[in-house]
Amino acid sequence: MVIISPSILSCDFLNIENELRALEPCKNIWIHLDIMDSHFVPNLTFGGPVVKNLHKITKHPLDAHFMVTNPEFFLDDFKNYKIHNFTFHVEANPNPMDIITKGKKIYPSIGISIKPKTPVSQIPKEVLECIDLILIMSVEPGFGGQKFIEISLDKIKELDQLRKKNKYHYQIQIDGGITNQNAKQLIDLGVNNLVAGSYIFSGSPQGYPQMVESLR
Ligand code: DX5
Ligand code: ZN
């Protein structure tokens, strides 16, 4: 079953506990955490102090998406916060294998992400061979509520073909501008994990599970 990852960037931060509890009835979802440093991207969000206790109010796996210049700083910092997946950007580190090797000893899943202007070919082959997840950014990272960039469709196809041809095990995740209008097409192309922020959190909390299902 396709995983849906609600991005709390669009939730009501004054009521974060209720927002997460409203997602409890959902099946097969990850809670997507957008960690931004105001350097790698032009926005600043939250870090350890906010993330640290989230696992106490949700049973769902936590999916940390680091949009930061120095992801290696966070490998150790976040190790006790019950993060399921640790994703960082290939643009942030010319030698991603170091982070992946260290990260695999700490987290159940490690992901690598590419921005809209970064080609799939920028992900080294040795990374493709061992990475658990590839996150295709379908908007410029930094803000929710932007429009889906169509070139991302070609990247999904390319990564799906590479995966089939070489028997790679990574899941393909997509993030930015996801709605019920494009979700089916993305799933048909091979996406396994859809991140959605503004689409899911635009209505009232009792409707979140329905919004999640509408993407599947
Ligand atoms: C943007 C973040 C996304 C964001 C998606 O940089 O990585 O996770 O929350 O928001 P929507 O779904 O509104 O495009
Ligand atoms: Zn994200």
Side-chain angles (χ1 to χ4, degrees), residues 110-138:
I110 300 288
I112 196 143
S113 182
I114 48 173
K115 298 205 277 186
K117 293 195 185 80
T118 304
V120 166
S121 59
Q122 203 151 313
I123 307 174
K125 186 166 179 285
E126 55 179 347
V127 171
L128 294 174
E129 284 166 0
C130 71
I131 202 80
D132 302 300
L133 176 150
I134 299 182
L135 167 53
I136 301 169
M137 282 308 300
S138 43

Side-chain angles (χ1 to χ4, degrees), residues 32 34 65 67 175:
H32 187 80
D34 287 305
H65 174 196
M67 284 159 276
D175 183 4

Side-chain angles (χ1 to χ4, degrees), residues 54-159:
L54 289 182
H55 68 92
K56 293 182 185 161
I57 55 168
T58 178
K59 65 169 192 283
H60 300 299
L62 299 175
D63 174 29
H65 174 196
F66 287 89
M67 284 159 276
V68 301
T69 304
N70 293 300
E72 61 277 13
F73 288 172
F74 296 89
L75 275 177
D76 265 344
D77 272 14
F78 277 61
K79 71 174 177 225
N80 296 320
Y81 304 163
K82 299 209 161 56
I83 300 295
H84 175 71
N85 177 66
F86 183 108
T87 291
F88 66 101
H89 275 259
V90 72
E91 302 88 354
N93 195 303
N95 189 7
M97 274 317 287
D98 264 9
I99 298 183
I100 295 167
T101 309
K102 281 185 201 141
K104 275 185 175 277
K105 294 186 186 130
I106 307 174
Y107 303 96
S109 167
I110 300 288
I112 196 143
S113 182
I114 48 173
K115 298 205 277 186
K117 293 195 185 80
T118 304
V120 166
S121 59
Q122 203 151 313
I123 307 174
K125 186 166 179 285
E126 55 179 347
V127 171
L128 294 174
E129 284 166 0
C130 71
I131 202 80
D132 302 300
L133 176 150
I134 299 182
L135 167 53
I136 301 169
M137 282 308 300
S138 43
V139 298
E140 282 301 332
F143 299 92
Q146 303 180 72
K147 195 174 167 298
F148 184 88
I149 297 172
E150 297 288 321
I151 189 91
S152 320
L153 299 175
D154 296 334
K155 294 188 189 177
I156 300 169
K157 289 180 204 158
E158 193 177 344
L159 282 168

